[in-house]
Amino acid sequence: FKATDLEDFYIKISARNPSPGAIADFLNLKQKEEPLKLHKAENLQNDHCPVYVNGASKIAITLASCCTPIPGDEIVGYISHGKGVIVHRKECPNIADKKRLIDVYWKENIQKGNYPVDIKIVCSDRNNLISDVMSAFTQKGVAVTALNAHLNQSKLETVVLATIFVSDALQLRDVFDALKNIKSVLSLSRVTH
């Protein structure tokens, strides 16, 4: 192919002179001639998203990071500018324009997944509190990716903020029940950013 060196040969290939077919012919590579088979897409819905919008199959749907909806929560879709539908929990305070809300639904056969949930635990301060909280998470089989505890000296209360991963609202209720059984826990809530 009249190339002076390997680099020159690569430059010629990038310019399509020689063509890939000419290189294959030179190397005596035989091409299999099989008819091209086209398949019609059966399901246009995003299989990775656990939520759908009735009558809309080609729309981007994402779960909001502010209120972290999980399967089992009551949800609503917010039509955003250029980002498709963003799914929020119905009580999310970040939904500004109520005119842009649409009905969205959890898919019935959702594959088991892990969804992040930020929670806040307010407790009377005592020894081994964090150890008991972590034991409850371990007992319920939830992963903890962030944990932050802060002591309020004036009230003698510890506020624990945690990010945990749960499969659905039922598992979250189960985790909350385990946390309520810990001595000195005063309140539990989900955090909305």
Side-chain angles (χ1 to χ4, degrees):
F1 298 106
K2 299 180 182 173
T4 56
D5 58 12
L6 189 57
E7 188 173 325
D8 186 36
F9 182 64
Y10 290 148
I11 293 170
K12 288 180 178 282
I13 290 173
S14 70
R16 300 233 182 256
N17 185 20
S19 69
I23 296 170
D25 289 342
F26 178 79
L27 296 173
N28 291 325
L29 298 176
K30 295 182 181 178
Q31 295 179 349
K32 293 181 181 178
E33 303 234 356
E34 294 180 15
L36 181 63
K37 295 179 183 176
L38 299 176
H39 300 284
K40 184 178 177 185
E42 296 295 324
N43 184 3
L44 297 174
Q45 287 187 353
N46 182 353
D47 288 336
H48 301 293
C49 184
V51 175
Y52 70 94
V53 177
N54 265 344
S57 58
K58 292 184 179 181
I59 190 166
I61 301 172
T62 55
L63 300 179
S65 58
C66 58
C67 58
T68 59
I70 57 176
D73 285 341
E74 290 187 27
I75 53 175
V76 66
Y78 179 80
I79 302 171
S80 68
H81 292 289
K83 294 182 182 177
V85 175
I86 301 174
V87 179
H88 291 267
R89 289 188 297 153
K90 278 194 175 176
E91 69 270 10
C92 181
N94 294 325
I95 301 172
D97 187 357
K98 303 289 185 196
K99 294 176 189 172
R100 302 181 74 118
L101 298 181
I102 61 170
D103 291 330
V104 292
Y105 308 94
W106 293 107
K107 291 179 181 174
E108 289 187 24
N109 297 324
I110 300 174
Q111 290 184 355
K112 199 135 180 117
N114 284 320
Y115 300 91
V117 178
D118 294 328
I119 63 172
K120 178 180 178 180
I121 310 162
V122 179
C123 313
S124 298
D125 189 47
R126 65 174 176 81
N127 290 337
N128 299 319
L129 175 64
I130 300 303
S131 175
D132 291 345
V133 168
M134 287 303 296
S135 292
F137 291 146
T138 302
Q139 177 189 16
K140 294 302 173 184
V142 296
V144 180
T145 59
L147 185 78
N148 185 353
H150 177 73
L151 173 63
N152 182 338
Q153 290 279 358
S154 63
K155 295 182 178 181
L156 290 176
E157 289 180 350
T158 298
V159 176
V160 179
L161 299 173
T163 302
I164 61 173
F165 279 79
V166 295
S167 59
D168 55 24
L170 185 62
Q171 185 181 21
L172 182 61
R173 273 194 296 272
D174 196 30
V175 170
F176 273 20
D177 287 344
L179 292 169
K180 285 176 188 174
N181 289 329
I182 296 174
K183 179 183 161 189
S184 77
V185 170
L186 302 173
S187 68
L188 295 164
S189 60
R190 287 175 72 171
V191 176
T192 300
H193 303 280

